[in-house]
């Protein structure tokens, strides 16, 4: 069964390669969607795919990469939008380009 999951991850999740970690893992699991830093220091993940693979991704996101310290993760399940063809990192701020 295919679903969409929107996650807001908080803690020490910016500047610790959390987006890269998420992107590599999602691609390995053949999931689609996006990951982006939010202005408040959190990370937003929108991911679509098989429920079993989504569950595996969520377990890994709770741990994060070695330098991260995940404090909380809010998860919202939705019907898939089918708007994504791959998984990518979204960049918004000036410093995100360096």
């Amino acid at each position: 069964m295919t679903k969409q999951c929107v996650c807001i991850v908080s803690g020490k999740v910016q500047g610790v390669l959390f987006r890269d970690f998420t992107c590599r893992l999602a691609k390995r699991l053949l999931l689609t969607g996006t990951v982006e830093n939010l202005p408040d220091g959190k990370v937003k993940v929108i991911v679509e795919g098989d429920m079993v693979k989504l569950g595996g991704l969520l377990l890994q996101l709770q741990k994060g990469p070695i330098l991260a310290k995940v404090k909380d993760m809010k998860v919202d399940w939705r019907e898939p939008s089918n708007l994504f063809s791959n998984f990518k990192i979204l960049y918004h701020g000036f410093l995100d380009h360096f």
Side-chain angles (χ1 to χ4, degrees), residues 32-95:
T32 61
T34 61
V35 59
E36 65 183 307
N37 284 344
L38 297 177
D40 62 3
K42 297 175 184 171
V43 170
K44 181 178 182 179
V45 181
I46 302 174
V47 61
E48 293 185 357
D50 177 76
M51 285 287 294
V52 173
K53 292 179 179 183
L54 289 172
L57 177 83
L58 293 177
L59 285 174
Q60 292 301 311
L61 291 184
Q62 288 175 335
K63 297 175 188 175
I66 195 161
L67 296 175
K69 298 246 187 275
V70 176
K71 187 175 184 179
D72 188 40
M73 189 166 76
K74 304 270 191 246
V75 178
D76 183 23
W77 292 98
R78 302 176 182 179
E79 290 304 312
S81 67
N82 299 311
L83 296 176
F84 306 107
S85 59
N86 58 13
F87 197 93
K88 64 182 178 179
I89 299 172
L90 300 180
Y91 299 94
H92 298 292
F94 173 78
L95 292 178

